[in-house]
Amino acid sequence: MGDIDDALQRAEYEAITKAPPKTPLAQMRLLLKAAKGSTKTVADRLGISQRQVERYLAGKAKHPRPPLQAALEREVRKVWQPRVRAAARKRAATTAGITIETRARFGYTAPIGTTDDPRMRRLTIHLPPAWAARLFTAQQQGAGDQQLSRIVAEGLQEVYFKDNGSRAAGLEVELTDIDFFDASFGA
């Protein structure tokens, strides 16, 4: 995963309405439910043996080591309140849009006589729902961070640099060297 994909998942997780389970037993049960009862699937997700998953579910193992605890928390975040997170994504893609905050190097292809030197900029821009929908669609289709950054660059190009078509007609923007990237759903 890359910066943009991680930021979209963090923004999605901000929509949850209650805290996820804290105990290893409750976390294992949640992952088991998400895996439709397959302890093998849970074991594969966590990088442990199927027998170890069964020990936690039986209450024989109670204190996971730090790598397993981190894996449990990471995987629980992915499956916790899927309908609430899906509703937040749908709202962002249809009505609310997405706010992007980034510090990255922007390169330009522009007409002769203008500067096209890439430079670091920090921007916080609200992109309309259509751009959020494009990002979510690409993410669900397994797009890499490079393709997601192209979509973000196009959105920033249209909304910020071209001011929705009112200036800089021939400008093309490229987003590289992402130093920081965050996203939130809504205005």
Side-chain angles (χ1 to χ4, degrees), residues 106-119 121 161 168 170-173:
F106 289 89
Y108 310 95
T109 304
I112 295 174
T114 60
T115 181
D116 60 354
D117 293 333
R119 59 182 172 249
R121 287 183 182 231
F161 293 100
L171 182 72
E172 290 184 25
V173 176

Side-chain angles (χ1 to χ4, degrees), residues 10-151:
R10 280 192 310 272
E12 180 182 289
Y13 191 73
E14 288 174 4
I16 65 168
T17 57
K18 63 181 184 176
K22 299 282 186 225
T23 67
L25 176 60
Q27 291 172 331
M28 288 284 184
R29 285 182 179 160
L30 175 68
L31 292 174
L32 187 66
K33 182 179 176 185
K36 297 181 174 55
S38 171
T39 54
K40 175 138 179 52
T41 303
V42 174
D44 291 343
R45 287 181 84 161
L46 296 173
I48 60 175
S49 69
Q50 184 175 355
R51 182 68 190 121
Q52 188 65 15
V53 171
E54 292 166 357
R55 281 189 207 108
Y56 276 99
L57 291 170
K60 293 177 183 172
K62 295 181 183 181
H63 304 288
R65 292 188 176 163
L68 176 56
Q69 184 63 43
L72 274 169
E73 290 172 8
R74 181 188 67 241
E75 294 303 318
V76 164
R77 286 176 66 98
K78 290 179 183 178
V79 299
W80 184 243
Q81 291 191 329
R83 290 181 291 183
V84 171
R85 293 191 338 265
R89 286 173 75 94
K90 183 177 180 183
R91 199 170 34 258
T94 56
T95 58
I98 187 170
T99 300
I100 303 292
E101 182 177 355
T102 187
R103 183 171 186 273
R105 188 171 308 281
F106 289 89
Y108 310 95
T109 304
I112 295 174
T114 60
T115 181
D116 60 354
D117 293 333
R119 59 182 172 249
M120 292 297 273
R121 287 183 182 231
R122 183 176 181 126
L123 297 176
T124 302
I125 304 295
H126 181 76
L127 297 178
W131 292 102
R134 281 187 62 192
L135 273 172
F136 298 150
T137 301
Q139 184 186 31
Q140 288 171 346
Q141 292 173 350
D145 222 39
Q146 188 175 16
Q147 186 177 355
L148 293 175
S149 76
R150 266 185 288 191
I151 295 169

